[in-house]
Amino acid sequence: LQQKITRMNDINNSIYGANREQKVVNILKNLSDDYILINDFICSFQTPIYNRKENDYIKSIQIDHLLVSPSGIFIIETKNWSEHTINNLNLHSPVQQVKRTNFALFKILADEINNLNLRKHNWGDRKIPIRNLIVFINNKPIEEFQFVKILSLTQLLSHIEYFKPSFSFNETQMIADFLFKISDKRKQSNLIIQ
């Protein structure tokens, strides 16, 4: 009986997770075709990435939504937490999760930046900005956090569209193609927002 209850809870959590993530996808569909969305981005590393500051070996990352845009990359983690859950000090921090993912993605792109054939600038090497977002479907914390922007679902589009483009459509596509290529889920069917 306990196994059935556990299995049912796992199924319910998967359904709720898919539902909240679909709400974000539905909002992001309002963006222009210049934005490329990779849902459930997963990447494993044969050689773990070492984060010296956190003394952490990163073996893999998972991102609910990775939005590649003309203004850079948005890591979007989606949560549908109650106020009680938000205030539970025993839960793993989604802020730490997103920062950890950002570090790994930054390292991957730093190693690959010269191979991406981005338009050169005479001032030096260009940067691919990575912005960290956690989108709360219902309740959200009132606090603000370093390096991670906490948003409600209704704030998501205006926040993304606030940033000015610095990449052409072709450059955006090259960055997305590279990320898709290194993803563990290469058989994803919904790479591009239609």
Side-chain angles (χ1 to χ4, degrees):
L1 179 64
Q2 187 59 39
Q3 285 181 332
K4 285 184 181 179
I5 292 171
T6 301
R7 198 172 301 145
M8 288 302 294
N9 286 339
D10 289 345
I11 291 169
N12 285 338
N13 287 339
S14 294
I15 292 168
Y16 294 138
N19 187 28
R20 75 169 184 258
E21 291 172 14
Q22 188 59 48
K23 286 181 180 185
V24 169
V25 169
N26 290 342
I27 292 291
L28 295 175
K29 284 181 180 178
N30 293 303
L31 294 167
S32 75
D33 291 342
D34 293 340
Y35 294 78
I36 301 167
L37 180 65
I38 303 173
N39 289 308
D40 195 27
F41 177 83
I42 298 172
C43 188
S44 303
F45 311 112
Q46 205 165 25
T47 303
I49 296 172
Y50 180 62
N51 181 344
R52 183 176 40 188
K53 183 177 179 186
E54 301 292 329
N55 193 26
D56 181 22
Y57 286 92
I58 303 170
K59 296 177 185 165
S60 66
I61 56 174
Q62 185 277 329
I63 304 168
D64 289 343
H65 311 284
L66 193 60
L67 183 66
V68 185
S69 80
S71 59
I73 297 171
F74 293 89
I75 295 172
I76 306 172
E77 186 64 30
T78 308
K79 299 294 180 199
N80 188 14
W81 289 1
S82 67
E83 274 188 60
H84 173 72
T85 304
I86 289 171
N87 296 320
N88 184 343
L89 301 178
N90 295 321
L91 288 178
H92 180 71
S93 166
V95 170
Q96 287 305 111
Q97 174 190 351
V98 170
K99 285 172 51 179
R100 183 178 192 268
T101 300
N102 178 295
F103 181 83
L105 205 54
F106 172 80
K107 292 293 282 181
I108 294 166
L109 290 169
D111 291 344
E112 190 63 26
I113 192 86
N114 292 327
N115 297 329
L116 285 174
N117 296 321
L118 299 178
R119 187 179 68 246
K120 300 295 180 198
H121 195 284
N122 62 342
W123 291 358
D125 292 335
R126 292 174 64 200
K127 165 185 167 178
I128 302 174
I130 303 172
R131 296 180 176 89
N132 305 319
L133 306 177
I134 301 175
V135 177
F136 280 84
I137 303 301
N138 291 317
N139 301 293
K140 73 174 193 154
I142 57 171
E143 296 83 7
E144 294 194 18
F145 301 91
Q146 283 191 327
F147 312 114
V148 178
K149 185 73 174 168
I150 306 292
L151 300 170
S152 68
L153 191 57
T154 58
Q155 297 170 313
L156 180 59
L157 271 187
S158 61
H159 182 78
I160 290 170
E161 291 174 331
Y162 168 80
F163 297 95
K164 301 293 180 224
S166 62
F167 297 106
S168 68
F169 176 77
N170 288 338
E171 290 172 320
T172 304
Q173 186 68 55
M174 281 188 285
I175 296 166
D177 288 346
F178 168 73
L179 292 169
F180 190 65
K181 183 179 85 179
I182 66 166
S183 170
D184 292 350
K185 299 188 79 173
R186 290 179 189 91
K187 295 181 180 163
Q188 290 174 318
S189 60
N190 59 345
L191 173 62
I192 299 176
I193 294 176
Q194 297 296 336

